[in-house]
Amino acid sequence: NSSCQKKNDDKEDSPQENGVHTNQYSSISPPASPVAQDEPFSTYFEERVPIPDSENQLFSFRKLWAFTGPGFLMSIAYLDPGNIESDLQSGAAAGFKLLWVLLVSTIIGLLLQRLAARLGVVTGMHLAEVCNRQYSTVPRIILWLMVELAIIGSDMQEVIGCAIALNLLSVGRIPLWGGVLITITDTFVFLFLDKYGLRKLEAFFGFLITVMAVSFGYEYVLVKPDQGELLKGMFVPYCAGCGPVQLEQAVGIVGAVIMPHNIYLHSALVKSREVDRKNKKEVKEANKYFFIESTIALFVSFLINVFVVAVFAQAFYNKSNIEVNAECNATGSPHTDLFPLNNNTLEVDIYKGGIVLGCFFGPAALYIWAIGILAAGQSSTMTGTYSGQFVMEGFLNLRWSRFARVLLTRSIAITPTLLVAIFQDVQHLTGMNDFLNVLQSLQLPFALIPILTFTSLKSIMNDFANGLGWKISGGILILGVCAINMYFVIVYVTSLNSVVLYVLAALISVAYLAFVAYLVTICLFALGAPYTAETL
């Protein structure tokens, strides 16, 4: 396979226009066949948002507004029920001490999202489409299956988050499986909102983010966290008196924040703006405004995450089960049996989190919490479905009708969720959530390695390829994030206490590491390692 040599040849043969090589990657993604070229084919871009002119202006709020949308849709993955659960658990287990981990994770996430946005803007193709054109058939199919697994895992958490919220809001009248069915139905309805205009769809997502900010902000004001401790926890990178539990929680925060499917999603969402990619100035400007918008969006998501951590850090850090049981008993809560009469430290998830808030701060706190979780689950479920469509279309070159694609991607993700909801009750989902977090941690290299590879290749990115600084820092960041997530996986596997599972995990690890090594090898060549055409 001489794919790297081919890429370099492409660059040499391609003409220049306004300083940009106009090879196949500088024009709209090539269609699967000549017939498909004339067909309107889109999941999300039946209209493109025009960008207003502003001659010789260094910065324009009108332009920023035109570019605003994709970053906020991307930021929803930082606010999904898995993240909210990670937040409340870190607050209850470590107080304010791990807020700096959340801050660093969000900054790393922003830098990785910058790479994804640049790939989409410069090439006019999203990451799955570029993978489809650059990797040979077998690695491409394996990569697609791995990313699809990550999307299924994420979707299960999001849909179950919605179902838990509906269960809390209905005081247990809507069972878990009923909540899942409701979520499936309304997701289909909302997914067709973009028929009424792309900006209306983006505004709807903005509304859901606002609901989360108001809901969790209300809890924050109600609990009145210690601001000094909060700032200390955010800016002092140290965790005094922390043990294995807090370390695991810190690793969990990194795993929850940086999600593989979100890299694919963001590279696709930026294609919704009208940018002349043959004009270097316009491409550079689009990259600048998308980065500013992503920074604002992730700052908002960071604040919402901080609200959740702070509420549980202030109210429930070092609380024992017996204390919570007594408080719930005193307020007449029907859920006292969730908290056994022992002195073990309180362990919470998004369901128990709502219950303890209701016990300590009244029913309003419980219902407002549930509304926030519902908004988080509903919004992330929709963006997860978009991710599924982009990934499937890009890797498999699907040319199906819009409804058929939504139905297929939804069914793949929803079937296991429904089975879990039918056979598990709402109080016993923590084990499944741990497994899903591990599943997504394992898939991280399959988004991070390709995005660094392709944004470093001049044959794809032309003048916008990563410089030496970005190559080195990007490589170190990705290595660090993957190492942290692998630690999380090892801790989980060693806690299973089963020889059969150990052997199975070892066998899977060999195949997994071999494929990661293959992707890393190609990435190293893209980063500038010497190679010959025969190497690959």
Side-chain angles (χ1 to χ4, degrees), residues 345-385:
T345 306
L346 172 70
E347 289 183 6
V348 281
D349 50 36
I350 53 176
Y351 179 71
K352 284 184 187 172
I355 301 297
V356 293
L357 282 170
C359 291
F360 280 77
F361 300 102
L366 186 155
Y367 293 125
I368 290 168
W369 169 261
I371 289 166
I373 296 295
L374 185 61
Q378 194 63 71
S379 55
S380 50
T381 272
M382 285 185 273
T383 53
T385 305

Side-chain angles (χ1 to χ4, degrees), residues 484-499:
I484 287 167
N485 279 276
M486 287 309 105
Y487 170 82
F488 184 59
V489 172
I490 290 163
V491 167
Y492 177 79
V493 171
T494 51
S495 70
L496 295 174
N497 294 321
S498 164
V499 176

Side-chain angles (χ1 to χ4, degrees), residues 227 335 410:
Q227 300 303 305
H335 301 288
R410 212 69 203 103

Side-chain angles (χ1 to χ4, degrees), residues 78 100-110 250 253-255 257-258:
Y78 291 71
W100 64 272
V101 178
L102 180 63
L103 177 63
V104 171
S105 300
T106 306
I107 292 168
I108 292 172
L110 173 64
I253 290 170
V254 179
V257 167
I258 300 164

